[in-house]
Amino acid sequence: MKNRFRLWVKVSLILVYLVITAGSIVRMTGSGMGCPDWPKCFGYIIPPTERSQLDWNPHREYKKGQIIIQNDRLLVANSSFISRSEFSENNWIVYTKHDYAAFNVQKTYTEYINRLLGALAGLATLILFVLSLGFYKSQKSLIFFSFLVVLLMGFQGWLGKVVVDSNLLPIKVSIHMVVALIIIFFLMTLYSLTRQHQSIISNIKNPWINRLLILSFGLLIVQIGFGLQVRQIVDLQINEGLLMNDISLKQNTPTSYYQHARLGFALLILHAALFLQFLKSKQLPRLAIFIFSLILLEVIIGLVLYHFDFPFATQPLHLLLASILLGLYFLVILDKSFWKFGFKFQT
């Protein structure tokens, strides 16, 4: 039972990270409005593959909620019916949540895959919650955190609708991202609770390592906050119709970018100090080396994004690595805290 639960914690984490990556690819390709409605796509469970499928046609069966594009407007069928030989406005209502009325099959299916991954992640966390009920007598904390994850996944789904209805307002996209990171925190909490042993980093009794880890974690959160502000500026340019390879921050560089970059270099310096402390303790865990490598890689990718104007796939990779880094840091700190106060997996 405990092995199955731990497996689904890992599956849920992987799927949430995939959703974060897919969401970033959606923004990078400008595919966020590839499905203009939610949770369906143009009113279909499986979206159309050709623009002609969204034209009005005589003597065709339409289901309630299906969408057509007519005179640069999105029209929604107000009931199920079979169209007659002439178009009738009475069968349709104008989609008023936004005025985006276009179809691009690549963008539609990019967004559709993103939604499918989100649905799979939601299903995985629901299975996780069901499995947690088996620990009602031995460890209620697993039920509590699993339930929080399910609630947040539901909230995240609703936020997805709000983002689409707002025509991808950047601040709402950022809130969507923040909630995803909070979900990762709770999943990492479950992962920490189900580990039978502390990580090697958590076992090292060096107070300077503890202090530097906490300082680095706090600095990383602030740095990601500035990164989200930079992303909002990029999103605004995408919403104005610019392609990813046309976007540049070198002209009129925002203050948030400078803060984001400076904190990135500050994290590098802190990790150099951490590296020295690990050597002083005569231990250099593989997890620590992996975290150091992620920090260095993140700084390099950030410089590439700025100086080479957002090469393809660099922004999703930058976001994914930052999310993984934040999750790993949170896991290390949880390991120290939970074992210090006697929390551990019991069956």
Side-chain angles (χ1 to χ4, degrees):
M1 182 67 177
K2 65 179 181 180
N3 290 332
R4 188 185 307 169
F5 184 83
R6 191 180 295 112
L7 172 64
W8 280 100
V9 172
K10 293 177 182 178
V11 169
S12 299
L13 270 169
I14 291 170
L15 285 171
V16 170
Y17 277 123
L18 285 176
V19 172
I20 289 173
T21 305
S24 185
I25 292 173
V26 164
R27 295 304 297 138
M28 177 190 71
T29 56
S31 303
M33 295 305 292
C35 293
D37 50 328
W38 191 96
K40 293 184 179 180
C41 189
F42 289 100
Y44 294 85
I45 295 176
I46 300 176
T49 57
E50 296 179 0
R51 170 64 179 82
S52 60
Q53 293 176 263
L54 297 172
D55 289 330
W56 178 85
N57 287 293
H59 312 297
R60 176 182 167 183
E61 182 179 1
Y62 289 97
K63 301 291 185 182
K64 182 178 181 180
Q66 283 185 355
I67 291 176
I68 62 171
I69 299 177
Q70 181 89 344
N71 299 325
D72 295 323
R73 299 179 302 167
L74 292 176
L75 300 180
V76 185
N78 55 22
S79 62
S80 298
F81 66 94
I82 297 176
S83 59
R84 297 184 179 182
S85 55
E86 294 185 2
F87 178 79
S88 173
E89 290 275 0
N90 295 329
N91 294 322
W92 306 91
I93 55 176
V94 179
Y95 193 83
T96 58
K97 293 179 179 178
H98 57 75
D99 59 359
Y100 185 89
F103 176 77
N104 178 298
V105 65
Q106 287 82 14
K107 292 182 178 182
T108 292
Y109 273 85
T110 300
E111 169 62 11
Y112 182 64
I113 291 171
N114 177 44
R115 294 187 185 186
L116 282 180
L117 285 172
L120 286 174
L123 179 61
T125 57
L126 184 60
I127 292 173
L128 189 66
F129 172 67
V130 172
L131 290 174
S132 73
L133 298 177
F135 300 100
Y136 178 77
K137 293 182 179 180
S138 59
Q139 198 169 11
K140 293 183 176 63
S141 58
L142 297 181
I143 300 175
F144 174 72
F145 287 113
S146 297
F147 182 64
L148 283 180
V149 169
V150 170
L151 281 182
L152 282 172
M153 288 298 291
F155 180 65
Q156 186 75 321
W158 175 80
L159 269 180
K161 178 182 185 303
V162 171
V163 167
V164 172
D165 290 347
S166 70
N167 198 2
L168 310 180
L169 192 66
I171 184 62
K172 294 185 178 180
V173 174
S174 293
I175 293 172
H176 201 42
M177 179 65 203
V178 169
V179 174
L181 293 177
I182 293 173
I183 290 171
I184 287 175
F185 283 171
F186 283 125
L187 285 172
M188 283 298 185
T189 301
L190 287 167
Y191 185 78
S192 184
L193 284 170
T194 56
R195 291 178 73 168
Q196 296 177 323
H197 305 285
Q198 292 171 280
S199 67
I200 296 175
I201 293 178
S202 297
N203 283 322
I204 297 175
K205 307 301 180 183
N206 182 326
W208 276 106
I209 289 178
N210 295 346
R211 293 165 190 159
L212 288 170
L213 281 171
I214 292 172
L215 180 59
S216 297
F217 179 64
L219 200 62
L220 181 62
I221 290 175
V222 176
Q223 199 238 7
I224 288 176
F226 281 114
L228 288 175
Q229 292 182 35
V230 176
R231 182 182 171 180
Q232 287 181 32
I233 294 168
V234 173
D235 285 352
L236 283 172
Q237 295 185 49
I238 292 175
N239 288 352
E240 290 171 359
L242 288 179
L243 297 176
M244 207 65 194
N245 54 9
D246 295 325
I247 292 172
S248 176
L249 294 174
K250 283 181 283 190
Q251 295 180 345
N252 301 318
T253 304
T255 304
S256 54
Y257 170 79
Y258 288 120
Q259 300 298 339
H260 181 65
R262 287 166 185 160
L263 288 174
F265 284 110
L267 279 167
L268 267 183
I269 294 170
L270 276 176
H271 282 79
L274 262 171
F275 188 86
L276 291 174
Q277 289 299 321
F278 278 116
L279 291 179
K280 185 178 178 181
S281 300
K282 298 182 180 180
Q283 296 186 71
L284 189 58
R286 283 182 296 178
L287 180 58
I289 296 173
F290 184 60
I291 289 175
F292 299 160
S293 302
L294 283 182
I295 288 286
L296 180 59
L297 187 57
E298 276 289 78
V299 171
I300 293 172
I301 294 174
L303 291 173
V304 170
L305 283 167
Y306 180 77
H307 290 287
F308 295 93
D309 299 334
F310 294 81
F312 181 79
T314 48
Q315 190 191 37
L317 182 60
H318 193 55
L319 180 60
L320 174 63
L321 294 181
S323 304
I324 292 173
L325 187 61
L326 194 64
L328 288 176
Y329 252 110
F330 191 66
L331 179 63
V332 170
I333 291 171
L334 281 176
D335 278 358
K336 287 179 172 291
S337 303
F338 280 165
W339 285 78
K340 179 179 178 181
F341 293 105
F343 290 96
K344 54 186 177 179
F345 191 61
Q346 299 170 351
T347 56

